[in-house]
Amino acid sequence: MVILGIDTSCDETSTSVLKIKDGKLIVLSNIVSSQVKLHSKYGGVYPSLAKREHQKNILPVFKEAIKKAGIKGKELPKIKKYINNRENEIAGFFKEKELADKFLSFISKNKIADIDYIAVTVGPGLDPCLWVGINFAKALAFSWQKPLLPINHIEGHILSFLLPKGRRKLINIRKKLKEVNLPIISLVVSGGHTELVFSRELGRKYKIIGETRDDAAGECFDKIARILGLGYPGGPAISKKAAEDCRDCQKITLPRPMIHSKNYDFSFSGLKTAVFYKNRETEEKTENYIRAMARESEKAIIDVLVKKTISAAKEFKAKSVILSGGVSANKLLRASLKKECAKNGLLYFQPELDFSTDNGAMVAIAGFFRRENAILPKKEKLKRIKSMPNLKIK
Ligand code: KG4
Ligand code: ZN
């Protein structure tokens, strides 16, 4: 079975091809076009700008994913005739004429790739961005007559620990799933989300047991980095600064919001505000001051995330912890959570670094688990698939 995964939920345009045969999974391609450079000027993602970039990048990214995957296309005269007769209907899936024209030109000149499903993120995410991926996936499903799988981006993040790194690396998915003792607590930390999710069965049912009341953990990294003048995305910039030699740094103490609260919710805006005031008070912003601030901010965020995850795992009698989302690329978070899990007798899982931030492969793997939700490629059925910017995992 071959699944194409598409994600355009935030600032990465990504398409991936995943193959699963006899329980063995391989990522044939995972192409990510990042808009980081563009948004770094503004210190955050601008949805309308991001949408335009997705429109520009989605077809080239898709073509590259198909090419790199090396999935032999088929010349199917019947479908070719069908496409020729429906050019207007296909173009009707797009909001932008230029993209519609380019898509039609591609689809009429190329073979139909050997895929069984098209999986696309429908939410949560930025509404204008989500629509670009959804419209593209619908047009493709309709043209190639392939079933469409609407995917929750958060579920993709949670399942991303299953993805093997490297184009030729196989993983036995059944065996890997057996390694995960149930139930599970997942910590999902990204630019838009900070959630603790309980699950008795992966790929089926989830319950959010705690989430952020204001800023997400990644957003907190991004905002603090902006205050300190460290650029965007903030997470990697802060951890790079925090890792620099700081033997002569002054000691800075920042709050750990809600670390002792009796629930599993988070709040990071107070931490950002504390950094803001501290920064305003500090006249001389020396290199050592920036390093100390970066170090303490990173530590504060991680302390809260780790403490709450372990408490939740204990209360809910979880046997495994899964870390995921863009912030899961943070080395200190990975090491701290792993260590605390070991101390508390919990199994710990994390995605390969390539699959920590947004990517199409995580959408494809979620599609594998959600095959029963496939939408047949009929125009009326496809039309009902909409963007769900605030979609919750359940
Ligand atoms: O999951 P993701 O790629 O996009 C969303 O769905 O939001 O996450 C992006 C977030 C950004 O806020 C970025 O600063 C953060 O992940 N991030 C990191 C690191 N790499 C990315 N945060 C901390 N440490 C990192 N190494
Ligand atoms: Zn994400």
Side-chain angles (χ1 to χ4, degrees):
M1 176 193 317
V2 178
I3 306 177
L4 179 85
I6 302 172
D7 189 84
T8 61
S9 60
C10 190
D11 59 348
E12 334 267 2
T13 316
S14 182
T15 300
S16 167
V17 180
L18 209 74
K19 183 173 175 180
I20 297 143
K21 201 174 169 211
D22 304 326
K24 305 237 175 43
L25 182 153
I26 186 166
V27 180
L28 292 178
S29 65
N30 184 47
I31 310 297
V32 182
S33 164
S34 174
Q35 304 173 10
V36 157
K37 277 211 186 98
L38 181 77
H39 297 292
S40 62
K41 275 186 257 166
Y42 309 97
V45 182
Y46 269 72
S48 54
L49 201 63
K51 175 185 117 179
R52 254 183 285 145
E53 284 302 296
H54 285 307
Q55 283 173 331
K56 217 161 51 183
N57 296 332
I58 190 149
L59 187 60
V61 164
F62 161 74
K63 283 194 213 167
E64 204 183 329
I66 294 284
K67 192 169 158 216
K68 196 165 171 207
I71 35 178
K72 284 195 305 294
K74 279 193 203 116
E75 201 65 73
L76 298 174
K78 236 169 90 186
I79 295 210
K80 283 285 171 190
K81 203 166 149 221
Y82 163 94
I83 291 172
N84 288 339
N85 289 337
R86 284 170 174 78
E87 288 201 346
N88 283 342
E89 286 170 84
I90 295 170
F93 283 106
F94 292 96
K95 297 238 166 66
E96 199 213 17
K97 188 170 177 318
E98 200 186 330
L99 180 55
D101 289 346
K102 284 187 179 156
F103 181 83
L104 277 173
S105 156
F106 168 83
I107 219 86
S108 55
K109 287 194 196 113
N110 285 277
K111 292 178 180 172
I112 293 154
D114 243 340
I115 54 171
D116 299 293
Y117 294 95
I118 299 164
V120 65
T121 297
V122 293
L126 302 168
D127 191 50
C129 299
L130 287 164
W131 273 115
V132 179
I134 295 170
N135 289 335
F136 186 89
K138 286 183 188 182
L140 191 65
F142 185 72
S143 308
W144 282 356
Q145 287 294 289
K146 306 283 182 189
L148 192 77
L149 298 162
I151 299 302
N152 182 313
H153 181 83
I154 300 293
E155 181 167 29
H157 272 308
I158 293 176
L159 297 171
S160 63
F161 79 98
L162 292 166
L163 297 165
K165 191 184 163 186
R167 209 174 152 239
R168 292 289 159 228
K169 176 113 190 276
L170 275 170
I171 196 163
N172 186 323
I173 194 160
R174 283 185 217 124
K175 212 169 128 198
K176 180 91 184 173
L177 279 173
K178 272 195 195 137
E179 285 172 18
V180 185
N181 289 344
L182 303 168
I184 299 157
I185 289 288
S186 301
L187 171 65
V188 187
V189 266
S190 71
H193 298 270
T194 300
E195 288 172 3
L196 279 167
V197 182
F198 175 80
S199 180
R200 287 191 193 283
E201 193 182 357
L202 286 174
R204 292 247 154 241
K205 222 170 165 342
Y206 305 88
K207 189 175 186 324
I208 297 176
I209 57 163
E211 59 194 320
T212 183
R213 296 184 179 176
D214 39 59
D215 294 349
E219 195 178 354
C220 184
F221 271 112
D222 295 338
K223 286 179 175 168
I224 291 177
R226 185 150 62 172
I227 296 170
L228 299 177
L230 293 176
Y232 175 85
I238 287 187
S239 47
K240 194 164 161 233
K241 257 299 150 213
E244 288 177 9
D245 183 2
C246 211
R247 268 170 292 185
D248 302 324
C249 293
Q250 62 185 116
K251 185 159 170 52
I252 294 174
T253 309
L254 292 168
R256 269 91 174 130
M258 293 183 76
I259 196 162
H260 297 300
S261 69
K262 294 273 174 281
N263 53 45
Y264 299 106
D265 283 347
F266 300 89
S267 166
F268 289 107
S269 83
L271 175 59
K272 165 200 70 193
T273 311
V275 171
F276 177 80
Y277 284 118
K278 179 90 197 149
N279 201 55
R280 212 168 58 172
E281 279 162 21
T282 309
E283 272 174 28
E284 255 199 275
K285 297 181 180 62
T286 60
E287 260 305 297
N288 271 350
Y289 158 79
I290 303 282
R291 285 180 189 142
M293 278 295 251
R295 194 171 274 220
E296 175 64 2
S297 308
E298 183 181 49
K299 186 90 182 20
I301 296 171
I302 292 172
D303 282 352
V304 178
L305 294 174
V306 172
K307 166 89 179 11
K308 293 231 153 185
T309 306
I310 299 294
S311 309
K314 280 185 183 162
E315 185 181 329
F316 285 81
K317 299 192 170 37
K319 297 215 169 67
S320 303
V321 166
I322 299 176
L323 173 66
S324 71
V327 181
S328 76
N330 186 287
K331 294 209 171 85
L332 186 63
L333 173 59
R334 291 164 93 91
S336 311
L337 192 56
K338 187 175 177 183
K339 193 169 142 204
E340 285 307 307
C341 282
K343 254 198 221 164
N344 289 279
L346 293 155
L347 295 178
Y348 168 76
F349 300 89
Q350 66 186 19
E352 296 285 351
L353 282 176
D354 286 7
F355 302 118
S356 280
T357 45
D358 293 348
N359 63 85
M362 69 185 212
V363 180
I365 183 80
F368 173 70
F369 282 85
R370 298 287 182 175
R371 300 190 300 283
E372 77 275 20
N373 295 347
I375 312 280
L376 291 176
K378 304 254 181 292
K379 203 165 125 197
E380 289 318 307
K381 289 196 191 291
L382 293 172
K383 266 190 167 168
R384 274 184 237 141
I385 303 174
K386 301 220 164 7
S387 138
M388 289 183 265
N390 301 314
L391 184 65
K392 294 272 179 201
I393 190 160
K394 56 180 189 237

PDB file of all heavy atoms in Angstrom, residues 153 157 190 358 362, ligand 2:
ATOM      1  N   HIS A 153      -3.711  16.933  12.132  1.00  0.00           N
ATOM      2  CA  HIS A 153      -2.270  17.217  12.197  1.00  0.00           C
ATOM      3  C   HIS A 153      -1.644  16.723  13.515  1.00  0.00           C
ATOM      4  O   HIS A 153      -0.517  16.223  13.537  1.00  0.00           O
ATOM      5  CB  HIS A 153      -2.119  18.739  12.061  1.00  0.00           C
ATOM      6  CG  HIS A 153      -0.734  19.251  12.067  1.00  0.00           C
ATOM      7  ND1 HIS A 153       0.061  19.261  10.936  1.00  0.00           N
ATOM      8  CD2 HIS A 153       0.017  19.802  13.048  1.00  0.00           C
ATOM      9  CE1 HIS A 153       1.233  19.796  11.242  1.00  0.00           C
ATOM     10  NE2 HIS A 153       1.236  20.136  12.524  1.00  0.00           N
ATOM     11  N   HIS A 157       1.502  14.187  14.331  1.00  0.00           N
ATOM     12  CA  HIS A 157       2.661  14.407  15.201  1.00  0.00           C
ATOM     13  C   HIS A 157       2.839  13.225  16.163  1.00  0.00           C
ATOM     14  O   HIS A 157       3.937  12.712  16.335  1.00  0.00           O
ATOM     15  CB  HIS A 157       2.489  15.700  16.011  1.00  0.00           C
ATOM     16  CG  HIS A 157       2.998  16.924  15.299  1.00  0.00           C
ATOM     17  ND1 HIS A 157       4.263  16.997  14.761  1.00  0.00           N
ATOM     18  CD2 HIS A 157       2.421  18.133  15.045  1.00  0.00           C
ATOM     19  CE1 HIS A 157       4.435  18.201  14.205  1.00  0.00           C
ATOM     20  NE2 HIS A 157       3.338  18.901  14.354  1.00  0.00           N
ATOM     21  N   SER A 190       4.236  22.155  19.901  1.00  0.00           N
ATOM     22  CA  SER A 190       4.618  22.763  18.622  1.00  0.00           C
ATOM     23  C   SER A 190       4.436  24.265  18.711  1.00  0.00           C
ATOM     24  O   SER A 190       4.249  24.819  19.796  1.00  0.00           O
ATOM     25  CB  SER A 190       3.747  22.177  17.508  1.00  0.00           C
ATOM     26  OG  SER A 190       2.438  22.669  17.633  1.00  0.00           O
ATOM     27  N   ASP A 358       6.957  19.922  11.183  1.00  0.00           N
ATOM     28  CA  ASP A 358       5.905  19.511  10.249  1.00  0.00           C
ATOM     29  C   ASP A 358       6.442  18.816   8.998  1.00  0.00           C
ATOM     30  O   ASP A 358       7.408  19.273   8.400  1.00  0.00           O
ATOM     31  CB  ASP A 358       5.092  20.746   9.827  1.00  0.00           C
ATOM     32  CG  ASP A 358       4.305  21.312  10.991  1.00  0.00           C
ATOM     33  OD1 ASP A 358       4.220  20.625  12.034  1.00  0.00           O
ATOM     34  OD2 ASP A 358       3.779  22.423  10.861  1.00  0.00           O
ATOM     35  N   MET A 362       4.285  12.272   8.389  1.00  0.00           N
ATOM     36  CA  MET A 362       3.457  12.050   9.580  1.00  0.00           C
ATOM     37  C   MET A 362       1.957  12.047   9.203  1.00  0.00           C
ATOM     38  O   MET A 362       1.155  11.380   9.843  1.00  0.00           O
ATOM     39  CB  MET A 362       3.751  13.098  10.667  1.00  0.00           C
ATOM     40  CG  MET A 362       3.290  14.503  10.320  1.00  0.00           C
ATOM     41  SD  MET A 362       3.806  15.689  11.575  1.00  0.00           S
ATOM     42  CE  MET A 362       2.427  16.856  11.491  1.00  0.00           C
TER      43      MET A 362
HETATM   44 ZN    ZN B   2       2.898  20.810  13.671  1.00  0.00          ZN
END
